[in-house]
Amino acid sequence: MDRDSPLYRKLIAVESLPPMPATATQLLMMASDPDVDINDLAAVIERDPALASRLISIANSAFYSPRQPVTSIREAIIRVLGLNMVRNIAVGVSLTGGFSTARCPHFDLTTYWVTALGTADLASGLARAANVEGMADPDTAYLVGLLHNIGELLLVHVFPDEM
């Protein structure tokens, strides 16, 4: 992109991302606690219906193929995804929740999330396989993979017509 173009200047002028929802702030604090209580985490997630439904749909997806449908956040944590995975997904979904994609009809949010979740899973698997001391742990690699394309959401949020 040409540094003199109006689009470049508009993008560089973005001084901050949309504010994080209150749930995201609370989840970030909880995510830093390795001894977080599953019931407390589930209660925070359940206060955000969009986040809760996203996690339930991820837990019930063909990728995880649970034997019985998951119907609660607690079940998603215990039976399918695990505490670290739910924390990472919840933080990722909450951080991206402030971006508006509605004004960009060609942007496919489902494709965005499939790509983000796939990248996160691959990054986590690579970190586990590498098993090199001092390298990122699989949970950190998962979160990094999940958020790797957050810039695309910023572009759709700032430039819906162009995107």
Side-chain angles (χ1 to χ4, degrees):
M1 183 179 282
D2 180 16
R3 291 178 183 244
D4 294 325
S5 75
L7 292 178
Y8 180 82
R9 280 188 257 123
K10 186 175 178 183
L11 185 59
I12 295 302
V14 174
E15 293 184 11
S16 64
L17 299 176
M20 285 193 308
T23 304
T25 306
Q26 195 167 6
L27 285 170
L28 283 172
M29 289 176 18
M30 293 178 94
S32 65
D33 179 5
D35 299 319
V36 67
D37 182 79
I38 290 173
N39 293 322
D40 292 342
L41 181 64
V44 169
I45 293 169
E46 287 167 353
R47 284 191 293 239
D48 185 332
L51 174 58
S53 66
R54 176 79 42 95
L55 277 169
I56 295 292
S57 69
I58 290 169
N60 284 312
S61 70
F63 185 79
Y64 292 103
S65 304
R67 291 179 188 214
Q68 295 179 341
V70 173
T71 59
S72 73
I73 296 301
R74 192 169 189 285
E75 278 184 89
I77 295 169
I78 294 170
R79 285 189 23 227
V80 181
L81 301 172
L83 180 60
N84 290 334
M85 181 79 69
V86 167
R87 265 196 307 217
N88 286 336
I89 293 172
V91 168
V93 169
S94 294
L95 286 174
T96 61
F99 293 101
S100 172
T101 60
R103 296 180 317 165
C104 184
H106 297 291
F107 182 74
D108 185 357
L109 197 55
T110 300
T111 300
Y112 172 86
W113 279 111
V114 166
T115 301
L117 289 167
T119 303
D121 190 56
L122 287 170
S124 176
L126 286 170
R128 261 192 309 284
N131 198 20
V132 176
E133 191 164 327
M135 297 295 288
D137 69 293
D139 293 328
T140 301
Y142 186 93
L143 186 58
V144 169
L146 190 66
L147 297 175
H148 86 281
N149 58 348
I150 196 169
E152 186 177 355
L153 286 178
L154 175 63
L155 289 171
V156 168
H157 180 79
V158 175
F159 304 117
D161 297 329
E162 292 84 350
M163 291 299 288

